[in-house]
Amino acid sequence: MTSHTERVIVLVDMDCFYCQVEEKLNPELIGKPIAVVQYNAWRGGGIIAVNYPARDRGVTRHMRGNEAKEKCPEIELVRVPNVRGKADLTKYREAGKRVAEVLRTFTPLLQRASVDEAYLDITEAVNSKISSMTDKLSLDLLPNTHVVGCETRHFVHNVYNSYSEDCNLKLAIGGVIVEEIRAAVYDKTGYRCSAGIAHNKILAKLACGLHKPNKQTILPQDGVPELYQNLPLKKIRSLGGKFGNSLSTELNITNMGELGRFSEQELIRKYDEKTASWLYNIARGIDNEPVEVRLVSKSIGCCKKFPGRTALKTMADVNHWLSELSTEIAERLEQDQEENNRRAKQLVISFAQEIDRKDVHGSKTSTLNSYEATRIATDAYEVLRKLTQRPDGCFKLKFLGLSAGKFEECKKGAVHLVKRNKI
Ligand code: DCP
Ligand code: CA
Ligand code: CA
């Protein structure tokens, strides 16, 4: 077995997460088509989550609330609560934390990747299950499992074939463990999820989305060529953004199969060595990025858009919204410090400004000296004033964001000091 097939990596992603959170809070919604909407007066607000019955009726994310009602008149639109004039996502974050706590009981190698997904390295659990197995693997243990490239029963049958490699047995046993993990998540939280099982993070993420909801998918290394044939580049995590677009233009390709036709030398001519080698490998389904142990996010941020006529123009407007954002971020930072014994040292202030009818984005990184909302707001205002205020005094800001990061662990004394200061 080669090194790139040694590990068993899982990506767990919750199904229509915000909808499930709302369904649990209000069981009357269960079974009905619902969507979660960030309400505003413009055409019924923007939809951010759609449950599966509503998807069957053609409702999609990014539709306006009114449009969803036209498609599916009986849809229930649940509004995200508003605090200080902006969306309050606390209940979804709390629900995500509870799920992570359940996942954590299966392996210490857990990396939370967003509010509703996490990578798990379950190699050790797989190896120990294999070494203690007395009977052959039974298909009954994989009732909710799909396999890319073949039927699950053929896959299970073939793992014991002489020409199948051990790595497929590892994935099959990984599948059995993930059936258990998903059952535990449902049992402990009431939420359903889907999962991808593969030898690395990129393939696990890709596999997870293939059979949703409430199913899991194994992507064996030999299923990669068939899957890649018509797979758009953007389906691969890290090729979804600007880099993926430039790759597509520069190499004149649109899918992963085409990327596989370039030799490593050809890629090195266009990109630096590290990027070229990453591209060459990922075109073959190979990726060695480890699961980083991360239970808490690397940053805590909040933002708000001010589209069209709502753009912030005056100093008073800007200060008002900075004060709202700072109050939220300060509250969350305080809570984070209590829970995780760490303090953020950096603040990134992001903005979009309308200049000549175009939205121009910018950001500025500064030191975060205090968790006090008024102090954060004042510092951020200084940055914005210097970078965005026009000679006539007007701003025209279409977006504002604050994000705190670069966390450092608190020394014990420092925590006490902060707590005493609060009283
Ligand atoms: N979310 C959001 N804005 C977005 C995307 C997502 O507020 N542009 C929120 C709502 C989602 C949650 O994050 O419920 C998780 O996002 P996912 O992309 O994982 O989508 P869902 O969990 O809703 O659906 P799926 O079953 O397809 O994973
Ligand atoms: Ca999800
Ligand atoms: Ca997700």
Side-chain angles (χ1 to χ4, degrees):
M1 199 182 324
T2 43
S3 66
H4 67 266
T5 54
E6 254 161 36
R7 296 173 302 149
V8 180
I9 307 295
V10 182
L11 187 265
V12 171
D13 180 88
M14 308 311 293
D15 299 326
C16 54
F17 190 46
Y18 287 12
C19 293
Q20 286 203 84
V21 172
E22 295 298 345
E23 286 164 5
K24 187 174 168 184
L25 290 170
N26 179 7
E28 275 184 24
L29 297 173
I30 294 171
K32 295 181 183 167
I34 76 159
V36 174
V37 57
Q38 219 159 323
Y39 183 76
N40 56 40
W42 187 52
R43 297 169 61 198
I47 287 181
I48 55 173
V50 183
N51 76 349
Y52 283 81
R55 290 185 202 191
D56 291 343
R57 310 284 303 269
V59 178
T60 59
R61 184 186 281 165
H62 303 311
M63 268 183 184
R64 307 302 300 178
N66 293 352
E67 220 178 327
K69 279 264 180 208
E70 281 162 27
K71 281 257 176 216
C72 174
E74 66 274 35
I75 196 168
E76 299 264 359
L77 296 176
V78 185
R79 293 183 188 185
V80 176
N82 257 313
V83 173
R84 289 186 291 272
K86 67 181 290 298
D88 175 27
L89 306 176
T90 313
K91 58 181 160 181
Y92 311 115
R93 291 197 188 103
E94 292 298 322
K97 251 188 244 173
R98 284 199 296 280
V99 171
E101 280 158 17
V102 179
L103 298 177
R104 177 67 185 67
T105 62
F106 286 87
T107 172
L109 292 179
L110 176 78
Q111 177 180 352
R112 287 195 71 191
S114 79
V115 65
D116 84 327
E117 60 195 80
Y119 292 96
L120 293 80
D121 183 329
I122 58 164
T123 312
E124 208 155 291
V126 166
N127 288 340
S128 78
K129 207 175 184 107
I130 290 177
S131 56
S132 65
M133 265 171 65
T134 46
D135 296 327
K136 275 195 168 181
L137 170 64
S138 147
L139 182 63
D140 305 344
L141 298 175
L142 293 167
N144 304 297
T145 306
H146 294 264
V147 179
V148 175
C150 69
E151 281 183 39
T152 308
R153 63 192 169 97
H154 291 145
F155 186 71
V156 169
H157 179 75
N158 284 337
V159 294
Y160 293 107
N161 264 352
S162 52
Y163 30 78
S164 163
E165 292 187 73
D166 280 359
C167 53
N168 282 354
L169 175 63
K170 284 193 172 198
L171 294 181
I173 300 300
V176 174
I177 294 171
V178 175
E179 293 266 5
E180 291 164 9
I181 293 176
R182 292 178 43 254
V185 168
Y186 182 65
D187 191 44
K188 300 263 170 20
T189 67
Y191 301 131
R192 294 194 168 89
C193 61
S194 301
I197 302 126
H199 292 300
N200 60 57
K201 292 206 285 192
I202 300 263
L203 294 185
K205 167 87 180 163
L206 188 57
C208 179
L210 296 176
H211 296 278
K212 255 182 168 287
N214 206 19
K215 291 278 180 290
Q216 55 185 60
T217 308
I218 294 176
L219 174 46
Q221 221 58 29
D222 42 24
V224 170
E226 185 191 313
L227 182 67
Y228 270 10
Q229 234 169 32
N230 298 310
L231 189 80
L233 295 174
K234 65 171 184 291
K235 294 275 176 186
I236 298 285
R237 187 176 58 105
S238 53
L239 296 182
K242 279 187 194 152
F243 178 58
N245 288 339
S246 70
L247 191 74
S248 173
T249 320
E250 279 164 32
L251 302 180
N252 191 24
I253 57 173
T254 53
N255 70 46
M256 286 303 289
E258 292 167 311
L259 181 62
R261 294 192 205 123
F262 288 83
S263 71
E264 200 164 5
Q265 285 314 312
E266 285 172 302
L267 292 169
I268 284 176
R269 256 177 256 137
K270 293 188 188 284
Y271 302 94
D272 65 78
E273 206 165 323
K274 203 170 151 211
T275 310
S277 134
W278 185 83
L279 285 171
Y280 181 80
N281 281 325
I282 203 55
R284 283 147 191 84
I286 299 170
D287 160 50
N288 291 317
E289 191 183 283
V291 170
E292 281 173 50
V293 178
R294 191 190 302 152
L295 291 174
V296 287
S297 56
K298 272 190 182 165
S299 63
I300 289 180
C302 57
C303 60
K304 188 162 169 77
K305 289 184 193 158
F306 307 97
R309 281 200 224 148
T310 63
L312 307 181
K313 295 182 190 71
T314 65
M315 178 179 151
D317 282 344
V318 176
N319 271 321
H320 169 75
W321 284 105
L322 278 178
S323 156
E324 303 288 310
L325 291 171
S326 304
T327 307
E328 176 180 337
I329 205 169
E331 263 177 26
R332 284 172 51 206
L333 284 168
E334 287 279 351
Q335 195 193 344
D336 174 77
Q337 177 167 335
E338 301 255 328
E339 286 173 6
N340 305 314
N341 191 40
R342 59 179 192 163
R343 271 182 87 80
K345 299 289 170 192
Q346 186 183 73
L347 183 72
V348 181
I349 300 135
S350 320
F351 54 86
Q353 183 175 34
E354 190 179 308
I355 300 174
D356 297 335
R357 306 217 166 159
K358 280 202 187 104
D359 289 352
V360 179
H361 293 259
S363 70
K364 167 94 182 155
T365 302
S366 66
T367 314
L368 182 62
N369 295 309
S370 158
Y371 274 10
E372 220 182 298
T374 47
R375 179 79 190 275
I376 296 174
T378 317
D379 290 355
Y381 181 74
E382 250 336 275
V383 168
L384 287 171
R385 189 184 62 75
K386 282 190 193 138
L387 293 177
T388 64
Q389 193 175 31
R390 302 196 284 201
D392 65 358
C394 184
F395 286 85
K396 267 219 170 172
L397 295 177
K398 309 278 282 285
F399 171 85
L400 273 184
L402 298 179
S403 173
K406 287 249 164 10
F407 286 93
E408 285 177 15
E409 196 184 339
C410 291
K411 307 227 171 44
K412 281 222 169 76
V415 178
H416 287 141
L417 192 68
V418 169
K419 285 199 176 144
R420 231 178 290 131
N421 276 348
K422 259 169 57 181
I423 300 168

